[in-house]
Amino acid sequence: MKLLLTVMSAFCLMLPAAIAQDAEPLPPRVVAIDGNVWIAGQPSEAMFAAWAEAGATTVVNLRTARENGEVSFDGAVAAAEHGLAYSAMETGYEAGYSPEMVAALTDILDAAQGPVVLHCASGTRAANLYTAYRIERGDLAPEDAAEAHLAPHTDLNPEIMRMLSPRYAAAFPAE
């Protein structure tokens, strides 16, 4: 029995490494995948081709006009060159946050014909907006939002989440 437990313990310790080795690498700049939604940071122009090759059908750019002016290419043109649908939805900074942004994202996701890349500069705004979308649809309880692990580098921002999601705001009112 002791030998069996030792062997089982060793197997359980090796299992995560085996799963990680077999896991498909994420497409470029994609920091999280939840079903058909890929959360990503700012792509290079070449990454649109990589996303299309990986199966994406739609790109949603959440960066503001000011931010988009800082890159050397037009995302709408890059998407079109690779057969990707494209939407620009200014979010954050001077554009702020609102439940209307969640409604707009809902329309885009409902119309998409396959995987959607939702990107901002780092993926953080994309993760907050997509998490708010899931909460408002009833797919995710506000209490479970942090455990969805969609935000890169940081946790979800409670202040932003309250602005995007009335359900989140009701569960976690400002102090």
Side-chain angles (χ1 to χ4, degrees):
M1 182 68 159
K2 188 174 183 179
L3 177 61
L4 178 61
L5 288 174
T6 302
V7 170
M8 287 177 61
S9 295
F11 175 76
C12 288
L13 289 173
M14 293 185 313
L15 188 58
I19 291 170
Q21 288 173 351
D22 292 339
E24 290 290 320
L26 293 174
R29 291 292 286 163
V30 172
V31 297
I33 294 178
D34 185 53
N36 268 350
V37 176
W38 305 355
I39 306 296
Q42 173 61 42
S44 68
E45 190 170 9
M47 286 180 199
F48 285 82
W51 288 347
E53 187 175 312
T57 62
T58 305
V59 174
V60 181
N61 178 357
L62 300 179
R63 299 187 79 193
T64 64
R66 176 186 51 79
E67 290 178 289
N68 287 325
E70 296 169 359
V71 296
S72 62
F73 65 93
D74 183 328
V77 171
E81 287 174 353
H82 300 288
L84 298 165
Y86 181 87
S87 292
M89 187 170 59
E90 292 188 60
T91 305
Y93 299 110
E94 57 272 13
Y97 298 95
S98 71
E100 290 74 25
M101 292 171 176
V102 175
L105 179 62
T106 299
D107 291 343
I108 292 166
L109 294 178
D110 286 349
Q113 299 297 310
V116 175
V117 180
L118 185 60
H119 87 80
C120 57
S122 68
T124 301
R125 280 177 281 171
N128 278 275
L129 179 60
Y130 178 65
T131 301
Y133 158 84
R134 289 196 56 211
I135 291 169
E136 290 305 303
R137 282 183 61 106
D139 297 337
L140 182 66
E143 298 78 18
D144 298 331
E147 282 74 43
H149 299 292
L150 297 171
H153 320 297
T154 63
D155 292 329
L156 295 170
N157 182 314
E159 183 179 333
I160 291 171
M161 291 298 299
R162 280 190 286 276
M163 288 186 268
L164 290 169
S165 170
R167 289 182 181 184
Y168 186 93
F172 299 104
E175 296 174 6

